[in-house]
Amino acid sequence: MRPFTFIGLLSAAALASAAHLPPRNYASHDYYAIRLTSSTSPAELAAHLGLTYDGPFPALENHHVFKAPKHENDIVDDAVQELKRRRRKREVGMEYHVLDSVGFTQKQKLKPRHWKRSQIPADPKSKESDAVKTQREIANRLRIKDPIFEEQWHIFNVVTPGNDINVTDVWTQGITGKNVTACIIDDGLDMDSRDLKDNFFAEGSYDFNDHEDLPVPKLSDDHHGTRCAGEVAAGRNDACGVGLAYDSKISGVRILSGDITDMDESLAINYKMDLNDIYSCSWGPPDDGRTMQAPGILIETGMITAVQKGRGGKGNIYVFAAGNGAASDDNCNFDGYTNSIYSITVGAIDKNNNHPYYSEACSAQLVVTYSSGSGDAIHTTDVGANKCTAQHGGTSAAGPIGVGVFALVLQARPELTWRDVQWLAVMTAVPFDQPSDWTQTPGTGRTFSHQFGYGKLDAWAIVEAAKTWKLVKPQAWFWSPWMHVKKPIPQGDQGLASVFEVTEQMLKDANFERVEHITLTMNVEHQRRGDLSVELISPAGMTSHLSTARRDDEAPYGYVDWTFMSVAHFGEKGVGKWTVVVKDTKVNSMVGTFTDWKLRLWGECIDASKQKPRPLPTGHDDDDHDVIVDHPAHTTSIVIPTPGTKTGSVNPSDMPTRPVNQKPSSKPTNTGAQATETPPSPSAATSTSSSSTSCATASPENFLPSIFPTFGVSKRTQIWIYGSIGLIIVFCGALATYLFLARRKRLQSSRDTYEFEVLDDAEDDENSRMLSGGAAGKKGRRAKRGGELYDAFAGESDEDLLSESEDGGGPYRDRDEPYDEKAAHREDGSDAEGSNASGSSGGKRQ
Ligand SMILES: *[C@@H]1O[C@H](CO)[C@@H](O)[C@H](O)[C@H]1NC(C)=O
Ligand SMILES: *[C@@H]1O[C@H](CO)[C@@H](O)[C@H](O)[C@H]1NC(C)=O
């Protein structure tokens, strides 16, 4: 037998070092893991085979580690096999051999490294697309390591290339928002978020709800402002994604989390207007399809002050979300914030370039950009140290993408004025292939749709254009006198038209060169406001649908000094006959009278040296209201037939009465042209012939020649026109093509109602509540909020929106009582743009 004590001692020595096996050196040695029966000691085996014993496995019984200088063979196994062979050949006997104690032996081999489980293998079924590779290359080039960057499809869409904001080639030029500050006016901004803290600009921030310096989100649903901020200025870092202007500064002004007054709101929208360049406003009056509400005079004055004095006199940029009320017929021209000439109104499209059911249309909408719908939403920063959301949506999420883009524009060209930024948006937005009332505008040749404005923002295109943009001259204006109509409005097919002719001399006297915005202030008495619609036809033949019928708007008093706005006339000369057509679209017992109207043209002046800034509103600017001016271009009130219905030759679905979700008509060119389908009465003929733009009747004054149009604009503009993605509807040359397409589309979809996309899956209950609960006071949480947040989510159902408009009276209801509205107006006076029923603002802010 073996000398037992000796073995015991050796084992003890080995055990002592068990906890710390000597480090292995695979470069110089082979290692063997061997299980031994207890009858043999490791030392004996080591001696027998010429191995070095390193020690036992700390945890595995009878397992030991041996090593030998590197050698090709497996010394242990070779010896074991050799013993077996010799026994078979009887060269050795069956008596005990030291190798008989080897129960298991394994020479150690280096193996491929394990993967950390955080690395998810690519799905072999989905071949990596070129777009994914490009996205990765861009991220590497820009050193973007943000974990959700690849989810941010609105920045770089790998699924549908092109359906994104087209920003990455702006970033590679180093244009990332440096030296530009955007201010999110909202429910707070989480300045402690890792994604925002480096860009947070405390000096431009304030909390008007809790009257504190920092706009800390405090209520459980105060995440809206932070999400918007992330879209603009989330940093390039290891948290969430990046903002469109990831090197810009971001400030927050908190107003939506408690009671405020017009004064607070005025202070808020002017807060640090020399430090904050852009104000992002993703909120507004209720989108319930029956509210008609405008900023009070303090707020209006605040905005005028900001565009005249803010940003070193270049004017602050206000960006407003268009509103989420489309499913209940709402229209952003019933919202005095979105229809202000001083704000850029941004609507939404979804990742498939579809119109999401919530996004409102109006003639005041300048552009659209991406947001929720088709089962996805915007991925951005959320409240919390390192929290992200994949659920940001509604026009609320579209607005801040616009803000981010404008921040890039201002870095590229800091001297742009607020009007230059609007011009650039008009000239570079990209129309796309979706059914709408796309119309080539006579002013710029750009294509406009009431649903999509001038198209979708393209960051690269607008920044490139900004670099060489010739700054516009100061703003001039021309105001017509009050035009007194005072005639009953026929019902149904008919419209009551009134014409005002602007002469060249009038514009010369006003130092007015060309049109940018049109506002039209009007009084219409009616027993049911929702039955009314209003169109404005310019001398060049462009029709703006200023107002559209709203099924839930029961207000029994019509329009009281309401100001509508249109951006569809940018670039027009303005000289000639402007025709306003008021319609009472429903044949019922509710009737009304068109009282009066006043047209205002806003645009570029002729002689900059003579142009003074617009005086601030005094509250008495409409004192001429009842003065009858013996004006040479006296208004004529005429009845013109609504297009198509008399002759029956035009499908009623082609009627331009409701641009929202209107499918392309067989008259793609200009809805105004349809107003002349049927020869009107002699008196009307004069006023409408000039508005005709059909090929057959195109007059020399028309900006649109018959074939291969130059659009009557500069060569440069034409380059823009032809350069934009091939969706521009050419008037006559392409009419045949268009007719084919339009016809095909009509055949594909059913009749005149565009189908809303409604997704059933409720993706974000909380956010659904935000909208529906926000409007419905009974749900309480938002009861004291100053305005609605323009969130709408893919999962939100129509029901939410409808139930909202069915319940009796939450705090966001339009509280206007007919007499209050009038009384408030007369008391308040109205500013020069029309006070837009400022009486309602009291109700709104309670
Ligand atoms: C997008 O950006 C590229 C440059 O990166 C530019 O060539 C293109 O015209 C832009 N717009 C569109 C719609 O692709
Ligand atoms: C940054 O902006 C300020 C004011 O907005 C301006 O005075 C300054 O020149 C800008 N700096 C750069 C480097 O553009």
Side-chain angles (χ1 to χ4, degrees):
M1 288 300 288
R2 315 272 99 64
F4 214 78
T5 37
F6 180 55
I7 295 164
L9 277 174
L10 255 187
S11 297
L15 279 171
S17 65
H20 298 288
L21 287 166
R24 276 158 297 289
N25 183 346
Y26 292 110
S28 59
H29 285 82
D30 293 331
Y31 288 80
Y32 295 88
I34 297 174
R35 191 181 72 231
L36 287 179
T37 59
S38 48
S39 48
T40 299
S41 75
E44 279 179 293
L45 184 70
H48 181 78
L49 293 172
L51 303 173
T52 307
Y53 180 49
D54 263 5
F57 278 65
L60 297 188
E61 238 180 304
N62 302 325
H63 284 68
H64 301 271
V65 177
F66 298 86
K67 71 181 170 199
K70 253 179 133 45
H71 190 280
E72 274 182 21
N73 300 334
D74 181 333
I75 294 170
V76 182
D77 193 52
D78 286 356
V80 169
Q81 298 307 327
E82 176 65 11
L83 176 65
K84 281 182 186 166
R85 193 183 61 77
R86 290 175 68 184
R87 271 185 180 151
R88 277 197 301 274
K89 295 193 168 175
R90 320 244 166 191
E91 291 172 14
V92 290
M94 297 303 290
E95 73 278 13
Y96 181 82
H97 188 276
V98 65
L99 287 176
D100 286 332
S101 63
V102 174
F104 166 85
T105 174
Q106 185 188 53
K107 184 181 173 184
Q108 299 302 301
K109 280 194 300 202
L110 290 175
K111 56 200 276 183
R113 293 193 188 184
H114 286 297
W115 288 9
K116 291 172 193 167
R117 287 280 143 82
S118 62
Q119 297 165 347
I120 299 163
D123 181 350
K125 278 174 294 194
S126 73
K127 252 180 41 213
E128 185 173 88
S129 71
D130 290 349
V132 172
K133 276 187 217 137
T134 310
Q135 182 189 47
R136 197 163 301 146
E137 280 161 21
I138 289 166
N140 288 339
R141 183 145 41 111
L142 294 164
R143 286 173 290 118
I144 293 173
K145 298 196 180 72
D146 297 61
I148 70 162
F149 176 67
E150 288 177 13
E151 292 171 32
Q152 293 188 297
W153 58 267
H154 70 284
I155 293 175
F156 193 95
N157 190 333
V158 296
V159 178
T160 316
N163 285 9
D164 57 39
I165 194 69
N166 203 24
V167 73
T168 52
D169 274 353
V170 178
W171 291 344
T172 54
Q173 300 170 48
I175 299 172
T176 50
K178 294 178 200 100
N179 204 28
V180 180
T181 305
C183 176
I184 308 290
I185 304 181
D186 211 289
D187 62 7
L189 192 162
D190 187 358
M191 65 289 299
D192 296 326
S193 157
R194 256 169 54 200
D195 220 6
L196 295 172
K197 65 174 199 257
D198 290 342
N199 287 338
F200 178 66
F201 182 59
E203 229 185 309
S205 303
Y206 194 74
D207 183 339
F208 283 94
N209 289 132
D210 292 335
H211 305 282
E212 295 170 357
D213 287 341
L214 291 181
V216 179
K218 296 194 193 77
L219 305 185
S220 61
D221 60 350
D222 279 353
H223 48 219
H224 186 260
T226 302
R227 292 173 175 185
C228 293
E231 292 181 271
V232 178
R236 186 180 51 169
N237 51 30
D238 60 357
C240 294
V242 287
L244 269 299
Y246 56 74
D247 287 324
S248 65
K249 293 276 167 235
I250 191 84
S251 55
V253 164
R254 187 166 176 256
I255 63 165
L256 298 179
S257 301
D259 295 338
I260 57 163
T261 60
D262 266 15
M263 184 181 82
D264 297 319
E265 195 177 309
S266 179
L267 293 170
I269 63 159
N270 281 155
Y271 193 70
K272 299 283 171 79
M273 65 183 189
D274 267 327
L275 300 177
N276 292 319
D277 300 309
I278 308 173
Y279 293 99
S280 181
C281 305
S282 286
W283 43 266
D287 298 325
D288 54 8
R290 44 182 159 176
T291 298
M292 201 160 177
Q293 193 171 296
I297 195 165
L298 276 178
I299 301 159
E300 176 78 0
T301 308
M303 286 177 90
I304 298 171
T305 304
V307 299
Q308 292 182 354
K309 304 214 174 86
R311 216 166 57 83
K314 296 291 179 188
N316 297 108
I317 315 299
Y318 287 100
V319 175
F320 271 85
N324 295 340
S328 39
D329 283 355
D330 217 338
N331 175 295
C332 30
N333 240 325
F334 295 106
D335 171 342
Y337 295 83
T338 48
N339 87 359
S340 164
I341 67 172
Y342 307 110
S343 68
I344 294 177
T345 295
V346 179
I349 50 173
D350 71 19
K351 63 174 186 178
N352 295 329
N353 281 359
N354 286 323
H355 168 243
Y357 70 91
Y358 53 81
S359 190
E360 293 178 23
C362 69
S363 62
Q365 176 171 236
L366 206 66
V367 287
V368 291
T369 191
Y370 290 99
S371 188
S372 57
S374 290
D376 209 341
I378 299 299
H379 299 237
T380 179
T381 316
D382 207 345
V383 173
N386 187 10
K387 202 164 167 238
C388 328
T389 178
Q391 301 278 342
H392 192 38
T395 51
S396 261
I401 293 177
V403 170
V405 170
F406 300 137
L408 302 174
V409 168
L410 291 187
Q411 184 195 331
R413 216 43 213 289
E415 66 269 37
L416 296 173
T417 71
W418 65 279
R419 283 166 48 243
D420 291 306
V421 174
Q422 293 199 20
W423 266 108
L424 285 163
V426 168
M427 298 311 288
T428 63
V430 182
F432 49 95
D433 187 13
Q434 278 297 317
S436 190
D437 61 338
W438 294 109
T439 304
Q440 191 170 42
T441 65
T444 55
R446 305 296 298 175
T447 302
F448 181 82
S449 140
H450 286 75
Q451 184 62 70
F452 303 118
Y454 283 93
K456 59 173 186 163
L457 272 175
D458 184 303
W460 185 85
I462 194 170
V463 168
E464 285 306 299
K467 291 174 184 171
T468 54
W469 177 254
K470 182 168 174 289
L471 299 184
V472 291
K473 291 177 278 184
Q475 188 187 40
W477 56 89
F478 169 78
W479 298 354
S480 80
W482 277 98
M483 310 299 286
H484 299 271
V485 181
K486 292 185 177 142
K487 290 223 168 66
I489 307 159
Q491 288 196 321
D493 313 337
Q494 310 265 295
L496 179 62
S498 177
V499 180
F500 176 76
E501 182 166 2
V502 174
T503 64
E504 265 181 61
Q505 191 59 45
M506 286 176 197
L507 294 189
K508 219 172 140 193
D509 293 347
N511 193 28
F512 188 97
E513 187 166 291
R514 59 171 178 171
V515 172
E516 289 160 6
H517 310 86
I518 299 288
T519 60
L520 195 148
T521 308
M522 68 195 311
N523 289 278
V524 177
E525 282 177 33
H526 199 280
Q527 293 168 312
R528 191 178 184 281
R529 188 166 67 190
D531 293 356
L532 292 168
S533 77
V534 180
E535 284 144 41
L536 176 69
I537 304 160
S538 75
M542 180 67 199
T543 299
S544 287
H545 297 269
L546 297 180
S547 164
T548 49
R550 299 195 297 177
R551 63 174 184 269
D552 294 326
D553 185 355
E554 307 277 355
Y557 44 85
Y559 304 146
V560 182
D561 268 319
W562 185 261
T563 298
F564 293 107
M565 193 272 271
S566 176
V567 294
H569 304 280
F570 258 71
E572 288 189 36
K573 275 279 161 219
V575 175
K577 286 175 175 149
W578 290 84
T579 307
V580 58
V581 183
V582 179
K583 288 177 184 157
D584 183 348
T585 61
K586 298 261 174 349
V587 181
N588 55 20
S589 61
M590 315 286 202
V591 295
T593 304
F594 181 7
T595 309
D596 57 14
W597 62 291
K598 181 178 184 115
L599 179 71
R600 294 181 171 91
L601 313 186
W602 306 89
E604 190 173 18
C605 69
I606 299 167
D607 182 349
S609 66
K610 286 193 197 138
Q611 188 61 46
K612 292 194 184 66
R614 173 188 178 179
L616 293 176
T618 62
H620 301 285
D621 301 280
D622 279 339
D623 284 356
D624 63 339
H625 208 146
D626 296 314
V627 178
I628 308 279
V629 182
D630 184 19
H631 200 269
H634 193 62
T635 170
T636 50
S637 301
I638 48 165
V639 175
I640 60 162
T642 300
T645 48
K646 267 213 167 155
T647 61
S649 63
V650 177
N651 187 321
S653 68
D654 293 335
M655 284 164 51
T657 49
R658 188 169 171 271
V660 181
N661 298 319
Q662 184 177 309
K663 286 141 53 80
S665 74
S666 58
K667 304 276 185 295
T669 49
N670 192 315
T671 51
Q674 294 170 17
T676 61
E677 282 290 310
T678 313
S681 66
S683 60
T686 338
S687 67
T688 51
S689 65
S690 68
S691 69
S692 169
T693 56
S694 74
C695 298
T697 59
S699 64
E701 298 90 64
N702 273 335
F703 289 78
L704 299 157
S706 53
I707 293 172
F708 303 120
T710 62
F711 309 123
V713 293
S714 70
K715 210 169 160 192
R716 190 169 136 198
T717 306
Q718 286 171 39
I719 289 165
W720 279 116
I721 296 161
Y722 288 111
S724 41
I725 278 203
L727 298 166
I728 307 259
I729 298 159
V730 178
F731 249 76
C732 300
L735 186 57
T737 314
Y738 186 90
L739 282 171
F740 169 72
L741 291 174
R743 188 177 145 81
R744 201 180 56 175
K745 267 180 188 140
R746 256 219 313 283
L747 291 173
Q748 276 167 357
S749 41
S750 60
R751 289 203 39 91
D752 56 335
T753 41
Y754 180 78
E755 307 250 332
F756 290 122
E757 172 171 14
V758 180
L759 301 175
D760 326 308
D761 53 312
E763 283 180 8
D764 187 339
D765 286 349
E766 196 187 345
N767 291 304
S768 299
R769 274 203 307 278
M770 181 185 284
L771 183 110
S772 56
K778 62 184 177 187
K779 302 210 181 148
R781 288 204 306 162
R782 289 265 165 182
K784 56 192 166 74
R785 291 287 171 111
E788 276 196 0
L789 303 174
Y790 280 172
D791 269 307
F793 289 82
E796 190 170 65
S797 69
D798 261 357
E799 238 164 50
D800 290 336
L801 291 154
L802 295 175
S803 67
E804 177 191 329
S805 34
E806 275 155 18
D807 73 21
Y812 299 93
R813 290 277 163 271
D814 181 4
R815 288 184 167 180
D816 304 353
E817 297 302 328
Y819 302 112
D820 286 1
E821 191 176 68
K822 281 182 179 160
H825 165 68
R826 298 300 176 207
E827 228 172 74
D828 240 31
S830 54
D831 71 77
E833 257 199 290
S835 75
N836 285 356
S838 56
S840 60
S841 53
K844 177 188 146 208
R845 298 299 167 198
Q846 277 164 22

